[in-house]
Amino acid sequence: MKKFVMAALGGTLAGILVTTQVAGPLLAQEDAKTSSVYEQLDLFGDIFERIRAAYVEEVEASDLIEAAIDGMLTSLDPHSSYLSPEDADAMRVQTKGEFGGLGIEVTQEEGFVKVVSPMDGTPADEAGMEAGDFITHVDGESVLGLTLDKAVELMRGPVGSEIVITVVREGEAEPFDVSIIRDTIKLTAVRARTEGDTVVLRVTTFNDQTTSALKEQLEEQVEAAGGMDSVNGFVLDLRNNPGGLLTQAIQVSDAFLDEGEIVSTRGRQPEDGERFNATPGDLTGGKPMVVLINGGSASASEIVAGALQDHRRAVVVGTNSFGKGSVQTVMPLRGDGAMRLTTARYYTPSGRSIQALGVSPDIVVEQPRRKPAAEDEEDEAGLAARIRSEADLRGRLNNDSLSEDETRQIEEEREKAEAAAKRREQDYQLAYAIDILKGLSALGPKQ
């Protein structure tokens, strides 16, 4: 019995020794890390004091500290940043749908400012800015080497003032200048219209107004069309939509889904992950849908496109989206400032991460660049001269097999075809989407 007790005690002591031997180096490593952090903070304080004492000009201590904080955040990724009290206030106003500026969503790439997308009806949109444009200079001043916040600050100014932006665009041999007049940006989150038998829902941003405006305008268009039976489908146009609020992206997706996961987020800690699921109720009653995307579709718009694509609820048409698959949390700080910090990645229902990859459309459709008006007129004149039919021939026979009603119906179909052709000239991608829904409608309902 004594031997057994001694053996047991020996085992316990051995266990204690092993634990001590393993824990010792770990604790030492942790102490070394903590010591290193304090040394670095001492170094920061040393540099801070030397700048204040020896820099060629006197500098504000608060400016130095803000710059250091911003540098720490911007070193993480392009979307993390420090928001001064003024910037934090401006961001809160923007989510409400009205703010002053140019009307472009931007990011940073290779040291230059890259346009994610121009917003519909804004000065930048009307001036011809395009998704993918690189901004190299603002009023002749280079933005190379500036943080994104500093570059954006250069573009700000009084409403009504002019700004000249130098742009590098793929397909253009030389950089060129774009003159823009700053204005108050009033974002209309949703614009809806009916094209033939198709309801087109243009969603420009995901702000506080988006879901309610979408529901309201969808119902108005359906009612004007004569009810849901008179509608052959819906086009959800998310092109050049830079994103916005995650909550709104979830609600818009839910508006067209009856069940299933919409999106999931995964942070640094597994327990921080979240899943968001659809609730019963589809605003369209299950009607066919096409989602339009392009390189200016980012963030929240990619969540919607990815969810509807994964659930096979919609055909996604256009070109590859931007590829911003991360979630930023805005955290208030003392002094009314805030910090925008990337806290998670989001994943589509099938588990895809869109980060740096984007949503790939089911059908790739490029938007042709518009020709100058003079070239368009020449092409139309040449085409009209080449295309002739039996109806154009002098002395042709009349078609005596058609009744007046049948003749009228043919004329109406011809007018619709001409309208579709005109639509293709104005917006080829949208025309393609509407043609898809027309084709699905012709096949009839699923049995």
Side-chain angles (χ1 to χ4, degrees), residues 250-306:
I250 292 165
Q251 289 175 31
V252 167
S253 302
D254 194 5
F256 304 109
L257 293 170
D258 275 320
E259 60 182 2
E261 185 179 300
I262 293 171
V263 67
S264 62
T265 62
R266 302 177 203 170
R268 183 172 174 179
Q269 304 298 332
E271 61 270 18
D272 293 336
E274 289 187 277
R275 293 182 183 275
F276 301 91
N277 296 309
T279 55
D282 179 347
L283 289 181
T284 71
K287 287 280 184 177
M289 284 187 69
V290 172
V291 175
L292 280 175
I293 60 171
N294 64 4
S297 306
S299 191
S301 55
E302 293 175 289
I303 288 174
V304 176

Side-chain angles (χ1 to χ4, degrees), residues 108-114 134 144-145:
Q108 199 161 36
E109 189 173 303
E110 297 176 4
F112 292 108
V113 176
K114 183 179 182 180
F134 282 93
L144 185 63

Side-chain angles (χ1 to χ4, degrees), residues 27 29 51 62 86 147 205 251 308 325 338 350 353 378 384 393:
L27 290 171
Q29 287 175 17
I51 291 172
S62 58
E86 295 79 15
T147 65
T205 187
Q251 289 175 31
L308 297 181
S350 65
S353 171
E378 288 174 12
L393 300 179

